[in-house]
Amino acid sequence: MSGNGLVSSIRRLIQNEERLRNPASPFGQLRLKMNDIFDDGGILKEVVQPGEGPPVPENASVIMHYSGFLEYSDQPFETTLNVKYPRIMKLGRDVTLAGLELGLLTMKKGEFSRFLLQPQYAYGDMGCPPFIPPHAEVLYEVHILDYLDSGQVDDFLTLSPEEQNTSPLSTFLEVVDTLRGFGNRCFKQSRYYNAKDRYKQAMELLENREADCSAEKETLKTALLPVYLNLSLTELRLESPKKALKYGNKALEIDHANTKALFRCGQAYVELQEYESAQKCLLLAQGRKPFDSDINNLLRKVAMSYKENLDKQKDMCSKMFKHFHSTTNI
C-alpha cells in the first residue's frame, strides 16, 4: 500500500470512529434506524414508503426523484425535485455513483427510501469540489416512480436480424412492449422526438419479424396496432399531419373500424384542411362511439371550418366573376 493510501485509510478509520462516538449528530440519529445493506457499514438504508413488485433489475432504466444532502445542510447539493418529469436514467451509464446504484437495486416501484453512503461508496477521499468536501458521508433520498428492464432490450438490439427473427416470440414481444413503454414515458413528458424514436424501433422490429404461422402473424398485427396509433398521435404533436395520416391508415389496415385510428386520421385531415375526408373519418368514429365528446367536438369544428372554407371560395369566385364581367364590358 502506498503512503497516500495508508494515510487515507487511517483518516477514514478515525472518521468512522468519530461518527460512532457522536450518535447525536443528524446522520448519527438516522443511522440508528437504518439497516446495513452489505454488513460493512458502507451503505445504510431506511425504507420510508414500501414499494411493490420485484426489485429494480441490473442494467435497468429508472425514473426517479432523488436529492443528495451533506450533514448539517438543509439544502440538497443535487436534486430532481425542481423538474416535473425526471429523465429516464440507465444504471451504469447515467447513474454512476456506486452506492446510489447499489441502493437502487434493493428498491421496488413506488418505494421511497433514504441511503446513508460512506465516502468509499460516494465521492471518495477526494470529494467533488466545490460541492462535496473530501471524505464526505452523504445522504440520498430516493423515490422510484417506475423502471424498465432495458437490459433485455439492449441485449436484444445487439443481435443480428436473423437472431432477432429466431428468438422466442414471448421474448420478442417483451422487448417490443418495453420499447413502447419507453415511448409512452417520453410522450407523457412531452419528449415527442424521443417517443417517436422508441415507437419506430418497436414498429421496425414487428414489421421485420417473419411469422411462422397465421396465428403468429395475427399476434404481430395485434402488437403493431397500438404502435401505429402511438406514432400517429406523436406525429400530430410534432405537427406532421401527413405522417400522422400515414400511421393512422396503417392502423386502419389492421382494424378498419378502430375508433382511435379513425379519430387520428380525422385529426390529420383537419390539419391538412381536407374537411370532407375529415368529416368522413369522424362520422365513422362517431358511429362507433356516439357520445364521445372529443369526436363530437372535432366534428363541430370540421363543420364550421368547412363552411368558412366554402364561404371563402364563394367570395373568391364572386370577386373573380365581377372582375371578369367588368373587363368584358370595356
Side-chain angles (χ1 to χ4, degrees), residues 59-63 87-91 93-94 146-154 157 174-189 191-199 201-202 230:
N59 301 317
S61 293
V62 297
I63 303 164
R87 67 190 182 95
I88 299 172
M89 301 180 71
K90 183 167 177 59
L91 300 185
R93 184 187 67 195
D94 303 315
D146 202 356
Y147 67 80
L148 295 162
D149 190 357
S150 56
Q152 183 187 36
V153 173
D154 295 339
L157 294 178
E174 284 177 8
V175 169
V176 168
D177 191 54
T178 301
L179 283 170
R180 185 168 169 252
F182 265 112
N184 291 344
R185 279 291 175 182
C186 293
F187 186 91
K188 289 176 182 177
Q189 297 175 6
R191 294 161 51 198
Y192 299 125
Y193 284 106
N194 296 126
K196 176 181 173 180
D197 289 342
R198 297 295 186 174
Y199 293 145
Q201 276 184 308
N230 290 146

Side-chain angles (χ1 to χ4, degrees), residues 233 237 259-260 262-264 266-267 270 278 282-283 285-286 289-302:
L233 181 58
R237 292 288 190 273
T259 308
K260 285 186 178 180
L262 290 167
F263 184 65
R264 298 279 183 270
Q267 289 176 297
V270 170
L282 293 169
L283 285 172
Q286 188 186 52
K289 287 189 174 182
F291 303 109
D292 188 288
S293 59
D294 291 332
I295 296 172
N296 292 330
N297 288 337
L298 190 56
L299 265 171
R300 281 192 288 271
K301 179 182 176 181
V302 167

Side-chain angles (χ1 to χ4, degrees), residues 11 19 70 76 124 136 156 168 174 192 213 233 274 276 285:
R11 184 181 292 118
R19 292 183 183 114
L70 294 171
F156 189 86
E174 284 177 8
Y192 299 125
C213 59
L233 181 58
E274 297 181 25
E276 286 188 55

Side-chain angles (χ1 to χ4, degrees), residues 14-238:
I14 293 172
Q15 288 180 334
N16 286 338
E17 289 179 3
E18 288 175 349
R19 292 183 183 114
L20 291 173
R21 287 197 302 267
N22 186 21
S25 68
F27 283 2
Q29 290 295 310
L30 280 174
R31 199 177 293 113
L32 294 175
K33 52 184 177 179
M34 289 180 144
N35 295 316
D36 193 340
I37 293 179
F38 296 115
D39 295 324
D40 65 351
I43 304 176
L44 303 182
K45 177 182 179 181
E46 176 194 7
V47 178
V48 180
Q49 173 185 298
E52 296 180 347
V56 174
E58 291 185 16
N59 301 317
S61 293
V62 297
I63 303 164
M64 62 178 176
H65 274 302
Y66 65 91
S67 300
F69 296 88
L70 294 171
E71 193 166 22
Y72 301 106
S73 175
D74 293 331
Q75 296 300 316
F77 56 81
E78 66 170 338
T79 185
T80 62
L81 294 177
N82 53 1
V83 296
K84 185 176 181 180
Y85 300 114
R87 67 190 182 95
I88 299 172
M89 301 180 71
K90 183 167 177 59
L91 300 185
R93 184 187 67 195
D94 303 315
V95 182
T96 56
L97 201 66
L100 182 57
E101 182 167 3
L102 290 169
L104 288 171
L105 295 175
T106 70
M107 297 185 71
K108 300 177 180 180
K109 181 179 177 180
E111 180 180 328
F112 177 76
S113 288
R114 295 189 179 102
F115 295 95
L116 203 54
L117 309 180
Q118 296 303 309
Q120 65 270 29
Y121 285 102
Y123 295 93
D125 296 333
M126 299 296 293
C128 187
F131 303 107
I132 313 296
H135 316 289
E137 184 180 19
V138 297
L139 172 72
Y140 271 91
E141 295 183 339
V142 183
H143 183 199
I144 296 285
L145 303 176
D146 202 356
Y147 67 80
L148 295 162
D149 190 357
S150 56
Q152 183 187 36
V153 173
D154 295 339
D155 292 340
F156 189 86
L157 294 178
T158 61
L159 300 176
S160 67
E162 294 77 16
E163 290 172 323
Q164 291 178 359
N165 202 54
T166 56
S167 65
L169 182 60
S170 58
T171 301
F172 177 83
L173 292 175
E174 284 177 8
V175 169
V176 168
D177 191 54
T178 301
L179 283 170
R180 185 168 169 252
F182 265 112
N184 291 344
R185 279 291 175 182
C186 293
F187 186 91
K188 289 176 182 177
Q189 297 175 6
S190 301
R191 294 161 51 198
Y192 299 125
Y193 284 106
N194 296 126
K196 176 181 173 180
D197 289 342
R198 297 295 186 174
Y199 293 145
K200 288 191 75 174
Q201 276 184 308
M203 179 191 73
E204 289 165 2
L205 285 175
L206 287 164
E207 288 182 340
N208 294 333
R209 174 89 178 193
E210 294 178 9
D212 292 334
C213 59
S214 58
E216 184 172 327
K217 187 177 292 185
E218 286 303 311
T219 300
L220 295 176
K221 281 185 178 180
T222 300
L224 261 171
L225 180 59
V227 176
Y228 285 146
L229 291 172
N230 290 146
L231 276 166
S232 183
L233 181 58
T234 303
E235 294 292 1
L236 285 169
R237 292 288 190 273
L238 292 171

